[in-house]
Amino acid sequence: MHPMLNIAVRAARSAGNVIARSFEQSDKIEVEAKGLNDLVTNVDKQAEQIIIDTILKSYPEHSIVSEERGVIAGSNADYQWIIDPLDGTTNFIKGIPHFAVSIALKYKGKLDQAVIYDPIRGELFTASRGKGAQLNNSRIRVSNMKEINGSVLATGFPFKQKASADAYLNMFKDLFTKTADMRRAGSAALDLAYVAAGRVDGFFELGLKPWDTAAGELLVIEAGGLVTDFNGGTNHAKSGNTVAANARVLKQLLTDIRPHLTPSMINR
């Protein structure tokens, strides 16, 4: 295992242990609103601090971008860690056991290492650039589905961008009529990990943040899939509009998504 991936795994497991223990003691979870439909807990912050401390202990010169703390500038800008300490906070608050720790590392602007850890199921998804993707040390690959018909897709509702609800629902309707089924589980990180593992055949969501998708993107790519924006381009990290699947399914996803794009989605 790459030494930096090893540190990311150590950080994810340590944070996951705290999250799992707290999940069993819901009376001690403190919730506050960061913004409209945007919640954070004391556990998010505690897990995030554990991850940051673990990384900086080994690599004090590295930069970090994290959901709750923002940017921590390091002296070596070539290395940038992207952290979501608890992706699926609403599930966590509601007692739904589906959430994950997400940690990615970029080197000179390119995704290099990735970890997504589900502390409830004990599932550790990892990837290193050019080395493939693994689930608990076993190689994973994206689905070999050849078309949308009969596929199972994952998605997320635009709960922070409800002005886009009509456009999103039109996309959903077009895709739903062709698929075997759709899933909305509440963690974009795990959705992408499940695409990488072939558990779902594709994924689309709008308005995501880099910490939601960075680790999952590398997992999908290293598992043989593609990740693009809604136009099939590479602006998804900036726009937050993300599609992931194998090449054939992704092409069909984009065909059904494009007719419903609004100017705001295109120009983000």
Side-chain angles (χ1 to χ4, degrees), residues 90-163:
T90 300
N91 282 349
F92 177 77
I93 292 167
K94 292 294 185 180
I96 300 169
H98 188 80
F99 40 80
V101 179
S102 178
I103 303 173
L105 172 65
K106 279 186 173 182
Y107 175 63
K108 293 186 176 179
K110 293 183 178 180
L111 288 167
D112 196 68
Q113 308 294 329
V115 173
I116 293 176
Y117 180 53
D118 178 341
I120 300 301
R121 296 177 183 86
E123 292 190 331
L124 181 73
F125 299 85
T126 57
S128 294
R129 184 155 58 99
K131 303 293 185 182
Q134 295 80 35
L135 166 55
N136 291 344
N137 297 316
S138 295
R139 184 70 181 265
I140 54 175
R141 296 288 295 176
V142 294
S143 151
N144 60 5
M145 200 76 182
K146 294 180 173 59
E147 58 184 7
I148 288 179
N149 291 338
S151 68
V152 175
L153 301 180
T155 188
F157 302 143
F159 64 95
K160 295 179 186 177
Q161 296 187 18
K162 293 191 175 178

Side-chain angles (χ1 to χ4, degrees), residues 6-18:
N6 192 46
I7 293 299
V9 168
R10 185 186 305 169
R13 287 193 182 279
S14 296
N17 289 340
V18 168

